[in-house]
Amino acid sequence: MAAGLAGSVQIRHVDAGSCNGCEVEIGSAFGPVHDAERYGARLVASPRHADALVVTGPVTRNMAEPLRRTYEAVPGPKVVVAVGDCARNCGVFAGAYGVVGSVAEVVPVDVEIAGCPPRPEAIVAGLRTLTGR
Ligand code: SF4
């Protein structure tokens, strides 16, 4: 569990260049069936209100600087969760002309959730490592 996040975690989601498949599964993870909020994970609209970033997709050239600035806007202690194989290692977009690299090549990553896309159960399990619930 990341320091200072025990019990609940406020999350700002950043799509750094996803195909949107990971977003569908994140939506399901926070939907009525999987309901990540019951474990203390909550999506918020501003990085200034967040403890954590959930980042999807390979980082595209247009999103590298916004991702860095969003990371800087999150007050510490903060964690970054790379959701999906594209976020972890660029996945199917590796080597594409518009891709800068994986999320960890732009901001520090604390937790990785594998899959293309990850199942909602895997996303909830990953977020529970932050909340400890
Ligand atoms: S990991 Fe798969 S589903 Fe997620 S953004 Fe990449 S290609 Fe899309």
Side-chain angles (χ1 to χ4, degrees), residues 18-22 57 84-86 92-93 115-118:
S18 162
C19 76
N20 221 36
C22 285
D85 290 344
C86 287
V92 294
F93 297 110
C116 178

Side-chain angles (χ1 to χ4, degrees), residues 9-14 46-48 50-56 66-74 78-83 103 107-108 110-111 127 130:
V9 62
Q10 315 301 305
I11 299 164
R12 170 64 186 173
H13 169 228
V14 178
S46 168
R48 299 190 193 284
D51 308 300
L53 294 181
V54 157
V55 188
T56 57
L67 176 58
R68 277 189 208 100
R69 292 168 65 174
T70 303
Y71 176 80
E72 286 164 11
V74 177
K78 53 191 164 186
V79 299
V80 175
V81 184
V83 173
V103 173
V107 294
D110 302 283
V111 178
L127 297 178
L130 303 183

